[in-house]
Structure formats: C-alpha cells, structure tokens
Amino acid sequence: QVQLVESGGGLVQPGGSLRLSCAASGSIFSINAMGWYRQAPGKKRELVAHITNDFSTVYADSVKGRFTISRDNAKNTVYLEMNSLKPEDTAVYYCNAVKPGNLIRSAINYWGKGTLVTVSS
C-alpha cells in the first residue's frame, strides 16, 4: 500500500502564494509519476499538474505559468508551488501517485485525503 499525506493548504489572499507538499510512504517502489488534482465546489476533480520520475511535467492550462510542480525522489515528496493565486483556485487539492500498469493489471492510482486551499480576501 501507498500512503499519501498532503500538507500546506490554508487561506491565502488573491495574488499570494502557497506551497503544498505530499509525502509518500509505504510501498513506494515502482511509483512512476506523482501529481496534484483539485476539486472545486460543484466541479469534477481535475488534473492540476503531473510529474514523472524523470521530472517531465504537464500542467493544466488554467495554472500553467503560475504553478510549479517538483519532486524530491530521495524524500518521496512532491510539491506544488502556487503563485499568483486566484479565487478560482479555491479547491481541495489531492496528491496522486501512479504505479504503471502491465499486461495483467491496469495502472494503480493512490490518493491522499486532500488539503483545502482557499483563495479569498
């Protein structure tokens, strides 16, 4: 099993910055990629950013240029640095880790319990 624990959420003013952390523990071997998803009130969970073991990254268009995902493999931790925050960034942010699938099993996704980010004056 893999456990993912997010931290760093909270209240921040528009234009401010916040950094989220996600520490992975347990059976972390074979994790290929980690990322952040978010779910705003009344909306579906969406990908925010994703990073692979070779540090290749992808971002949602809505956050590109403002958010930066990084990964410290030695610490088994992924970070999301959020800058120029907007009220529409308000959501519960979930950490995600993926073990790739193979011929007999599909990819396995692990999820943290989420951390709330509220962007408001």
Side-chain angles (χ1 to χ4, degrees):
Q1 69 280 3
V2 173
Q3 294 82 42
L4 303 173
V5 180
E6 305 99 333
S7 62
L11 175 65
V12 64
Q13 294 181 329
S17 299
L18 205 62
R19 183 176 62 197
L20 306 182
S21 299
C22 173
S25 62
S27 300
I28 62 174
F29 302 105
S30 300
I31 290 178
N32 172 257
M34 298 183 70
W36 291 93
Y37 288 70
R38 68 184 181 187
Q39 187 168 17
K43 297 183 179 179
K44 299 296 183 181
R45 188 175 300 184
E46 64 175 353
L47 173 69
V48 177
H50 193 266
I51 184 168
T52 61
N53 284 347
D54 63 356
F55 301 98
S56 177
T57 60
V58 295
Y59 295 91
D61 289 340
S62 60
V63 307
K64 194 170 186 178
R66 299 188 297 120
F67 292 9
T68 301
I69 188 170
S70 60
R71 182 175 181 176
D72 187 337
N73 291 336
K75 296 181 180 295
N76 300 313
T77 301
V78 65
Y79 305 92
L80 184 68
E81 183 177 345
M82 304 181 292
N83 300 310
S84 302
L85 282 162
K86 305 174 181 179
E88 49 264 44
D89 294 319
T90 296
V92 176
Y93 284 71
Y94 298 91
C95 182
N96 167 254
V98 179
K99 291 187 177 182
N102 53 40
L103 292 175
I104 62 172
R105 186 178 66 188
S106 60
I108 301 175
N109 283 273
Y110 301 91
W111 299 94
K113 294 182 178 180
T115 184
L116 177 62
V117 173
T118 302
V119 184
S120 176
S121 298

